[in-house]
Amino acid sequence: MADTRSKSLRNQDMTTGSIMKKMMLFAIPVLISTLFSQLYNMVDSIIVGRFVSAHALAAVGSSGSVMMIFYALMSGMNIGANVIVSQYFGAKKYDELNKTVITLIMVATCVTVVMVTLGVTLSPVFLRMLHTPDELMKDATVYLRISCAGILGQFFFYVGSFVLRGMGDSKWPSYMVILSSVINIILDLVFVVAFHLDVAGVALATAIAQTISAVVVFYRMAHHECLDFSRKNWKIDKTKIRPILSLGMPSAIQQLCLSLGTLIIQRFANTFGADFIASMTVVTKVDMFAMMPINSLGQALSTFVGQNVGAGKDDRVKKGVRDMTLTIVGLSVGMGVVMAFFGKYLMLLFTDSQPVIAMGIVCIQIMVFSYWGTALQQAYSGLLRGAGDALIPAVIMISALALRIPFTYLLAVRPNDYRGIFYCMAGAAILGGVAMLVYYRSGIWKKRNSVRIR
């Protein structure tokens, strides 16, 4: 490894310089990449709905819950790696960092091959378990099989993105998301509109776009100043597997539980009719866009904490957490005000149905009062993951969801009041945020930090 690091490498180092400037420079590319990611997901749906059929759109949607399970496993392992990478990077232990990344790539390859095999082989079984209607089975199976075959490229894109972000580089993953989005949209139009490949075309477009981005991200990792991908280094270091899984598995289980919980809540929502289903869909999308800046800052805080924990700069961690938490909470309050006054106009981008908009406005007015709770969740879960404690944040989030499900039944389904769904959603956000704050203030997490590097 060269002793002289490039200017770009110094810019990725969050252990020195202006705290807020470094985190903001990290968060902005994350926000842009998230925006583009959501954009091309929406374009996929628009192209299928407009140029194929509503039947095809339903077939694509019916496969989503299966893919969410795979995404949960992918993100969990990579979240664990992200923390370890950021700690080694902050400690300037580049040899250990290199071993961690190579071990992650090799283990991820084995896991992904299993996932691809199961997904491609058992797609009809998974869809039957979800009670997919017979008229959707053919298209849904085609879409799901191609999507599962493309998991390999997507997994490596995830690996590369989380590794680079752990080293403070959020720009390259952002570039790759933008590239993937543009390629995906172009191929959607070519495969669906020009070649009439229908749902297979949409799945192929996404798989090809993700694979191209994965190759470019891997190229960036292979030429990074802190990594050495020489043939002699390609072996699994068993000592790196445990810390990755210690942080990754709680996050994977959390994401999996949230996905399953979302399916249950959606089933409750379906009892209120088509207008409310449409309203909830639109509100969820609008709310997701409102939360993007907060989520991006939470990721920045996680990387910042990881690097400074690795460098042993606890005072810098404390100051960064305080400043960023205030920023995230203040931003959430501001977004709440914007949503309260302009949420109606945002909904008009999706629909002009007055019943849908009327219910949506009511739901938004309930949700905005819980944004500060969501902000606390993002801030302190990012902090705790970066410090090496992913278990308790996962327990808190899963517990809030576990309470939300029965209360949604009692406050929404039983009295037949759709507002109960959003009262419970808001309550779960506040409960989770307060619980994160209490746990952080207790200081117990400092003693539980079993994965801090040495």
Side-chain angles (χ1 to χ4, degrees):
M1 299 281 179
D3 293 331
T4 303
R5 305 294 167 180
S6 66
K7 180 180 178 181
S8 62
L9 183 58
R10 291 196 299 272
N11 290 336
Q12 296 163 20
D13 187 351
M14 293 188 176
T15 62
T16 60
S18 170
I19 293 175
M20 290 303 295
K21 180 181 178 180
K22 286 291 181 75
M23 282 197 276
M24 287 298 180
L25 289 175
F26 181 95
I28 291 172
V30 174
L31 174 59
I32 293 172
S33 65
T34 305
L35 181 62
F36 269 85
S37 179
Q38 295 302 328
L39 176 63
Y40 86 71
N41 284 332
M42 290 175 60
V43 171
D44 274 356
S45 299
I46 292 171
I47 290 176
V48 172
R50 295 281 185 179
F51 294 100
V52 186
S53 66
H55 181 282
L57 182 60
V60 171
S62 66
S63 307
S65 55
V66 178
M67 294 306 297
M68 279 194 297
I69 295 174
F70 291 134
Y71 294 153
L73 296 173
M74 285 191 284
S75 64
M77 178 176 290
N78 286 301
I79 285 173
N82 173 268
V83 174
I84 304 302
V85 165
S86 63
Q87 290 192 7
Y88 279 132
F89 184 84
K92 309 295 189 293
K93 295 184 177 181
Y94 300 120
D95 287 339
E96 298 301 314
L97 167 61
N98 199 64
K99 292 177 183 177
T100 299
V101 174
I102 289 176
T103 297
L104 172 66
I105 292 172
M106 296 182 74
V107 172
T109 301
C110 297
V111 173
T112 307
V113 169
V114 174
M115 290 169 61
V116 170
T117 302
L118 290 175
V120 172
T121 305
L122 301 178
S123 287
V125 177
F126 293 146
L127 292 169
R128 289 292 183 194
M129 291 172 62
L130 292 172
H131 301 290
T132 302
D134 290 338
E135 62 270 22
L136 301 181
M137 274 298 296
K138 181 179 179 180
D139 282 345
T141 301
V142 169
Y143 181 84
L144 185 56
R145 277 181 165 159
I146 296 175
S147 297
C148 289
I151 285 177
L152 188 61
Q154 191 160 30
F155 207 162
F156 278 110
F157 175 72
Y158 272 41
V159 169
S161 296
F162 275 88
V163 167
L164 291 174
R165 285 174 179 168
M167 293 187 290
D169 181 2
S170 60
K171 291 183 179 180
W172 264 85
S174 225
Y175 298 152
M176 292 308 98
V177 170
I178 295 172
L179 174 65
S180 178
S181 301
V182 173
I183 293 174
N184 191 88
I185 292 171
I186 293 173
L187 291 180
D188 272 343
L189 294 171
V190 172
F191 290 158
V192 177
V193 180
F195 294 163
H196 305 291
L197 296 180
D198 299 344
V199 296
V202 175
L204 280 171
T206 300
I208 293 171
Q210 290 282 6
T211 300
I212 292 173
S213 296
V215 171
V216 178
V217 167
F218 193 89
Y219 175 85
R220 169 56 181 161
M221 283 198 300
H223 290 80
H224 196 281
E225 297 91 332
C226 295
L227 299 176
D228 181 6
F229 281 8
S230 302
R231 184 179 298 179
K232 61 183 174 59
N233 292 325
W234 281 92
K235 54 187 176 182
I236 293 178
D237 187 335
K238 295 181 180 179
T239 64
K240 306 303 179 188
I241 296 177
R242 181 180 176 276
I244 290 174
L245 294 180
S246 295
L247 286 166
M249 289 309 297
S251 297
I253 293 171
Q254 173 188 329
Q255 294 298 322
L256 181 59
C257 290
L258 291 177
S259 298
L260 294 175
T262 299
L263 292 178
I264 296 173
I265 299 298
Q266 184 63 54
R267 184 172 181 178
F268 291 158
N270 290 346
T271 64
F272 294 101
D275 282 343
F276 178 70
I277 295 172
S279 182
M280 184 173 178
T281 300
V282 173
V283 170
T284 301
K285 290 185 180 296
V286 171
D287 180 70
M288 178 181 61
F289 277 101
M291 288 293 102
M292 279 183 188
I294 296 170
N295 295 338
S296 300
L297 292 175
Q299 290 187 46
L301 182 58
S302 180
T303 297
F304 168 82
V305 171
Q307 288 193 14
N308 284 278
V309 164
K313 297 186 176 182
D314 293 344
D315 290 340
R316 186 174 171 86
V317 169
K318 185 181 297 185
K319 185 178 187 304
V321 169
R322 181 194 64 201
D323 293 348
M324 183 54 81
T325 300
L326 291 174
T327 301
I328 292 176
V329 172
L331 180 61
S332 72
V333 173
M335 293 303 299
V337 173
V338 170
M339 289 289 289
F341 286 99
F342 300 102
K344 173 183 177 180
Y345 303 102
L346 294 174
M347 293 188 67
L348 285 170
L349 296 174
F350 294 87
T351 181
D352 57 1
S353 171
Q354 289 305 311
V356 171
I357 292 174
M359 284 188 288
I361 291 172
V362 173
C363 297
I364 288 175
Q365 296 295 333
I366 295 171
M367 285 296 299
V368 294
F369 289 102
S370 68
Y371 277 8
W372 63 272
T374 303
L376 289 178
Q377 286 186 42
Q378 289 297 322
Y380 289 114
S381 63
L383 153 69
L384 294 169
R385 282 197 303 268
D389 185 359
L391 178 60
I392 300 303
V395 170
I396 290 173
M397 296 291 286
I398 293 171
S399 299
L401 175 65
L403 289 173
R404 178 183 162 193
I405 291 174
F407 275 99
T408 298
Y409 179 77
L410 293 173
L411 297 179
V413 179
R414 288 291 296 274
N416 195 33
D417 184 352
Y418 70 86
R419 294 174 300 175
I421 290 178
F422 284 87
Y423 282 128
C424 293
M425 191 181 299
I430 293 172
L431 178 63
V434 171
M436 291 281 192
L437 174 61
V438 170
Y439 179 64
Y440 167 72
R441 298 288 294 178
S442 72
I444 298 174
W445 58 277
K446 297 178 182 178
K447 301 175 183 177
R448 291 196 69 261
N449 187 5
S450 59
V451 299
R452 181 183 294 213
I453 65 169
R454 292 173 172 80

